Amino acid sequence: MRKSWKIALAVVLSLGLLTFTAPPAAAEKYPSKPIKIIVPLGAGGSHDLHSRAVASVLHQYIGQPAYVQLMPGGGGKIGMGALKRAKPDGYTLAMGANSHLYMSPHVKDMGFDPFKDFIPVFQINELPYMLATLGNQPWKNFKEYIAAAKKSKGKIKHGSTGTYGLSHTMMLKIAYDTKAPLPHVPFRGGGPAMKAMLGGHVQTAGANPATGGVLSNYKSGKIRILGVAAAKRFPLFPDVPTFREQGVDLLLSSKRIVMAPAGTPKDRIDILEKALLKVAKDKTFKRLLRKMGVKAEPVVGEKLLKEVRAEYESNKDIYKNAGVKIRN
Amino acid sequence: MMALTWQGIAMIALGVFVGITVGAIPGLTSVMATAILVPFSFFMPPVLGIPFLLGIHKGTLFGGSIPAILVNTPGTAPAAATCMDGFPLAQKGEARSAIQMALYSSTIGDTFSDLVLILAALPLAAVALLFGPTEFFGLLLMGLAIISSVTGASLVKGVLSALIGLQLGMVGTDIISGGERFTFGLHGLAEGIGVVPLLIGLFAVSEVFIQAEKKASVLSSPPDTLHLRGGRKLRIIEVWHSARTIVRSSMIGTFVGAIPGTGAAIATFVSYAAAKRASKKPEEYGHGSYEGVAASEAANSAVAGADLIPTLTFGIPGDPSAAILMGAFIAQGLRPGPSLFQEHAPVMYAIFTLLLIGNPIMLVQGWLLTGMFAKIVTIRQSLLVPGIIVSCLVGAYVYHSNLGDLVLALVAGLFGYGFRKLKFPMAPLVIAFILAPRAEEALQQALIISDGDYSVFITRPIAACFIGLTVLMLVTSIWKRPWAETMRPQTVADSSNSKEEPK
């Protein structure tokens, strides 16, 4: 009895050894095994859904299946940390968000450098950020809101998605440009903040056009949108002026960017980029996105790098102006 | 009647089955299962894909009670309360009847909450919105006061256990300042200590250490004849005796579940404490009370329907698994909001009908599976224990695919072993760990909103109500001194149960 156990063990161990010592195939054709997409944010969120939409069609264009691995936590720190440590061979990617890539590193130790450690490969889309308030609040527009905020001396509060998150950053910029006191109450993400706003516990909250419930609450008049942080008005909300129209030079959006670890060979990045561009045109993919209320607006290559750099710098300015201590 | 296609019923039945199985495997959670299976629902029509996911959501909440009862392993936080009474029952050889009690109470709780979702979603959602940080703090404070009823024999040990839980709960990012606390520079701790690996460590891994103390001959001896059929069946009259508890817990679970950001764990602890207070036999709680199992299981399953209320009416998910379900609804073009029920009435009511049909399906499946699951206790310890530890460690790892969580589960296991050896009660630690960080967060938010004015906790009626109840609870527990009179030296976390068992 004892002996057969030992033999079995020996067989299992040597089999294990075999797989480790198998010689690497010469001049491996990429991709020759499944591709992993890390989602550094929570399950069910827009990054998760987008990743799954990508994973469900990518195999048609790259010849290998793609799968999603959720690694939430630490505001993107854990998942992006795993991407940084992954082998730069094009088999590990992540669906990054601009908040943890280009905002948080200014103010806290994320354990990575967004430019030295990662390559942005493909931005699926970006959704502009908006400022929402209850429909029955006395202020009818942004101007009146700012006037009321100045008069109240800090009584009108913003429910934010977290300190130095998207909506807090938006408020820092608005406060700096308008000189109005706009204190924020941090919540654990957009959902709880929106709920506190709907319940009247805080007066404003951030949202993007695809945030659950925003469109229907807006149509029914339950909420009012004071401004949208984009260069032009958002088609679903044609009556909502941009912040630029209202005197605040603010562009802020939530982005979904496929990231690769730094050091990934250029030819593999090119293969990925090409396949992902085809994904963006795929019928099924477009249908999945349409149901979520968004569409694919791909940005790749140099243009993408330029855009995220610009965002990184502009966020830095926002924090600097707000008197926040910047890390680098 | 587009709802009653056989495909729809088959999908929810399949979902319930997957759910029970996932729930029964320690460490696999409904969040994980639904997250993995959401993409499949993309390619199904909504009346098939959504019921499948809802079935999983339902099934896991009951399934979680199975390992809690059989091997003292709560795969999820709400099942921790089920361990307190379920495991002692299994040790007495009543595993099957304990699981049946869990099944009946889960089904009743779930049905109740589904009915509330269907009939009263909009008004209840409006009430849920009244809960701001101030009210939340009141509710959570009341939850924390529950610790007073689970301290066990020694008040000092109970309080120490709660304080340790409090301290562990402090680890991680403070959302108000954005700063990290007690992470010692470890990035893996930025999000705090994961509840799943911690529970797996405290309960399951420590149990394995306790078992490892036994002699090899004891471990490999065939199990007691008492266990051979997995124990006796539950009599209907016993369910009837717990009827009041089940109804009360269903109501608590539904109400707490409807408030976003609470989740099943809080509902379970609140209803467990309420049941114990109202019980004629409170001394049985923690030593194998069927009422205790009923209280926690009815409450956590009652969250299943109720957490969809804020999810669907406002697009604000009540807990992480509701967040994934919301994702699935959105991916199907069913955008949450007050108008969802009108705009998509046929689809929504088809889904709701299937949600209700899911309950008898769960009852039948659970009934058929219980006997099979209960046989797990008939496996020799020497075979069972290694199986448990492997499954638990896998569970701890897949929780966030983080190797650090594995280390955490092992460290928590060693810690839990010491805890049990020194006869510290585990429940205060778990409750404090789960509730205290949220209470702190709510307190800070409430005070930022009130500009530092503490009077809001008295002037706002809902918050004042909860704080009043908290004071009442604390005063009566001092009055009754339960730790001195009704508690025997044994507690939930007490290892002496397993040692005293005749072999």
Side-chain angles (χ1 to χ4, degrees):
Chain A
M1 205 51 191
R2 272 269 163 88
K3 208 167 175 191
S4 59
W5 256 107
K6 280 184 185 163
I7 294 173
L9 196 68
V11 170
V12 171
L13 285 179
S14 43
L15 276 178
L17 220 61
L18 260 180
T19 54
F20 281 117
T21 51
E28 194 195 343
K29 188 182 164 287
Y30 175 81
S32 61
K33 61 178 190 186
I35 294 169
K36 174 162 88 181
I37 304 172
I38 296 172
V39 175
L41 295 161
S46 103
H47 283 74
D48 182 22
L49 292 175
H50 276 82
S51 307
R52 289 176 196 282
V54 169
S56 62
V57 291
L58 182 62
H59 63 94
Q60 295 173 28
Y61 304 104
I62 207 156
Q64 282 290 334
Y67 64 99
V68 174
Q69 186 174 28
L70 289 172
M71 296 183 85
K77 208 178 201 180
I78 292 171
M80 295 314 285
L83 183 72
K84 179 187 169 181
R85 288 187 300 274
K87 222 166 144 192
D89 55 5
Y91 291 108
T92 311
L93 307 170
M95 189 65 75
N98 47 329
S99 54
H100 56 239
L101 284 168
Y102 309 117
M103 289 179 187
S104 308
H106 289 303
V107 288
K108 63 180 194 179
D109 175 20
M110 292 297 283
F112 60 74
D113 179 309
F115 297 101
K116 283 188 195 132
D117 294 326
F118 308 122
I119 307 169
V121 182
F122 178 81
Q123 177 176 304
I124 303 180
N125 55 23
E126 59 176 316
L127 286 165
Y129 224 57
M130 312 189 298
L131 184 64
T133 186
L134 273 184
N136 59 14
Q137 296 287 11
W139 44 86
K140 299 269 174 290
N141 54 44
F142 184 67
K143 208 172 142 196
E144 288 179 30
Y145 161 68
I146 293 298
K150 281 183 179 163
K151 218 169 132 196
S152 84
K153 296 199 174 63
K155 284 258 179 263
I156 296 175
K157 300 210 161 63
H158 175 79
S160 78
T161 56
T163 305
Y164 307 126
L166 266 173
S167 76
H168 181 206
T169 306
M170 171 169 80
M171 296 317 278
L172 286 176
K173 172 71 175 163
I174 296 175
Y176 179 76
D177 281 17
T178 61
K179 309 276 177 288
L182 299 168
H184 80 124
V185 185
F187 286 86
R188 242 170 230 283
M194 180 57 79
K195 182 210 148 215
M197 192 277 280
L198 289 174
H201 306 285
V202 293
Q203 284 67 45
T204 57
N208 72 49
T211 304
V214 164
L215 186 61
S216 74
N217 278 326
Y218 169 74
K219 280 186 178 159
S220 69
K222 173 123 178 114
I223 63 169
R224 201 176 278 150
I225 312 274
L226 297 172
V228 53
K232 49 180 197 268
R233 296 186 179 201
F234 198 78
L236 279 175
F237 301 82
D239 305 334
V240 178
T242 66
F243 283 118
R244 277 187 174 169
E245 288 174 48
Q246 308 182 82
V248 177
D249 186 16
L250 174 64
L251 295 180
L252 203 64
S253 57
S254 92
K255 300 175 174 175
R256 280 143 287 273
I257 313 172
V258 176
M259 307 292 291
T264 309
K266 178 82 176 64
D267 55 327
R268 294 190 178 188
I269 298 275
D270 289 342
I271 294 173
L272 280 168
E273 193 183 300
K274 249 185 222 146
L276 285 163
L277 282 169
K278 282 180 194 153
V279 164
K281 292 203 181 94
D282 181 272
K283 251 194 194 153
T284 315
F285 183 75
K286 277 173 134 168
R287 180 172 61 85
L288 292 173
L289 260 58
R290 199 166 48 237
K291 280 189 178 171
M292 292 181 229
V294 298
K295 54 187 180 187
E297 287 156 313
V299 184
V300 292
E302 280 302 313
K303 183 162 184 263
L304 176 58
L305 194 63
K306 224 175 99 193
E307 279 186 19
V308 295
R309 267 220 179 271
E311 178 183 348
Y312 184 75
E313 294 305 325
S314 113
N315 290 333
K316 190 176 186 173
D317 288 343
I318 293 178
Y319 296 131
K320 234 191 231 160
N321 291 335
V324 178
K325 207 172 144 228
I326 306 258
R327 289 188 72 250
N328 41 39
Chain B
M1 291 306 277
M2 68 187 285
L4 296 169
T5 58
W6 66 268
Q7 292 100 325
I9 296 173
M11 283 318 287
I12 193 149
L14 184 66
V16 169
F17 179 74
V18 172
I20 295 179
T21 315
V22 164
I25 299 172
L28 296 189
T29 61
S30 85
V31 175
M32 202 183 299
T34 32
I36 292 167
L37 295 166
V38 156
F40 293 99
S41 76
F42 286 176
F43 300 97
M44 295 180 204
V47 284
L48 298 183
I50 303 271
F52 176 59
L53 297 173
L54 290 173
I56 298 175
H57 188 52
K58 265 179 193 309
T60 40
L61 283 169
F62 158 63
S65 70
I66 296 170
I69 291 169
L70 294 176
V71 289
N72 200 19
T73 302
T76 51
T82 312
C83 280
M84 297 201 255
D85 286 292
F87 187 58
L89 279 173
Q91 288 186 316
K92 285 184 205 161
E94 300 184 14
R96 180 193 289 212
S97 46
I99 297 179
Q100 281 172 341
M101 179 55 104
L103 173 66
Y104 298 142
S105 0
S106 282
T107 311
I108 296 168
D110 201 337
T111 312
F112 178 82
S113 124
D114 292 346
L115 286 172
V116 172
L117 163 69
I118 295 167
L119 300 174
L122 289 175
L124 200 61
V127 174
L129 277 189
L130 296 176
F131 274 73
T134 323
E135 289 73 20
F136 242 130
F137 177 70
L139 175 70
L140 290 162
L141 200 65
M142 191 179 84
L144 282 168
I146 287 166
I147 293 175
S148 66
S149 59
V150 291
T151 48
S154 155
L155 179 66
V156 176
K157 284 181 179 172
V159 171
L160 267 175
S161 166
L163 288 176
I164 293 171
L166 214 75
Q167 180 60 49
L168 292 177
M170 295 286 160
V171 176
T173 307
D174 167 41
I175 66 149
I176 307 296
S177 65
E180 287 175 10
R181 301 190 292 202
F182 307 110
T183 58
F184 304 101
L186 296 169
H187 291 309
L189 287 178
E191 186 80 338
I193 292 177
V195 61
V196 168
L198 180 76
L199 289 178
I200 285 180
L202 283 179
F203 286 86
V205 179
S206 70
E207 178 72 27
V208 169
F209 290 143
I210 298 260
Q211 295 291 338
E213 282 183 340
K214 292 185 185 164
K215 283 200 188 106
S217 58
V218 176
L219 286 172
S220 51
S221 63
D224 215 293
T225 44
L226 191 65
H227 291 299
L228 273 181
R229 279 187 206 87
R232 65 183 180 90
K233 283 186 186 163
L234 191 72
R235 290 191 302 272
I236 293 299
I237 189 78
E238 289 174 284
V239 183
W240 181 247
H241 285 320
S242 300
R244 282 164 63 102
T245 304
I246 296 176
V247 171
R248 188 189 316 107
S249 299
S250 302
M251 281 160 47
I252 293 174
T254 304
F255 183 71
V256 175
I259 305 167
T262 48
I266 298 175
T268 313
F269 292 131
V270 170
S271 85
Y272 185 84
K276 189 175 174 186
R277 266 162 200 283
S279 174
K280 290 191 190 102
K281 297 179 236 162
E283 71 281 358
E284 280 187 5
Y285 279 68
H287 307 290
S289 163
Y290 281 100
E291 259 179 32
V293 173
S296 64
E297 280 304 306
N300 74 38
S301 281
V303 171
D307 64 3
L308 292 176
I309 294 173
T311 310
L312 297 181
T313 48
F314 298 116
I316 296 158
D319 56 26
S321 41
I324 302 176
L325 287 170
M326 183 169 99
F329 274 93
I330 292 176
Q332 289 286 5
L334 301 169
R335 300 180 60 72
S339 55
L340 174 69
F341 296 81
Q342 288 103 48
E343 280 170 22
H344 298 280
V347 177
M348 287 312 291
Y349 284 96
I351 290 171
F352 283 160
T353 312
L354 286 167
L355 191 65
L356 272 180
I357 293 175
N359 295 317
I361 290 178
M362 181 166 88
L363 191 65
V364 172
Q365 287 191 2
W367 195 71
L368 293 173
L369 292 171
T370 300
M372 199 178 84
F373 278 122
K375 286 220 169 81
I376 289 177
V377 288
T378 69
I379 300 172
R380 267 189 301 165
Q381 295 283 332
S382 57
L383 296 176
L384 184 60
V385 171
I388 293 174
I389 188 125
V390 168
S391 139
C392 287
L393 292 182
V394 169
Y397 173 70
V398 291
Y399 171 62
H400 277 169
S401 325
N402 185 353
L403 216 54
D405 284 341
L406 209 59
V407 178
L408 174 63
L410 289 170
V411 172
L414 279 174
F415 180 79
Y417 174 73
F419 229 58
R420 294 166 76 159
K421 279 284 163 190
L422 298 170
K423 299 206 186 331
F424 273 75
M426 207 79 89
L429 187 156
V430 174
I431 297 176
F433 172 75
I434 293 172
L435 301 188
R438 299 198 205 175
E440 187 211 358
E441 212 170 281
L443 175 66
Q444 296 196 66
Q445 289 165 342
L447 288 175
I448 296 176
I449 291 173
S450 74
D451 293 312
D453 181 5
Y454 281 88
S455 70
V456 286
F457 296 109
I458 300 164
T459 53
R460 293 184 68 107
I462 300 176
C465 218
F466 282 122
I467 289 171
L469 280 170
T470 310
V471 172
L472 200 71
M473 269 171 86
L474 293 176
V475 169
T476 55
S477 59
I478 293 169
W479 193 266
K480 284 186 184 166
R481 303 215 307 146
W483 58 84
E485 287 161 22
T486 54
M487 292 277 171
R488 267 172 254 128
Q490 287 185 336
T491 56
V492 202
D494 201 333
S495 60
S496 56
N497 277 337
S498 49
K499 272 192 290 175
E500 282 165 9
E501 207 183 319
K503 287 273 167 176

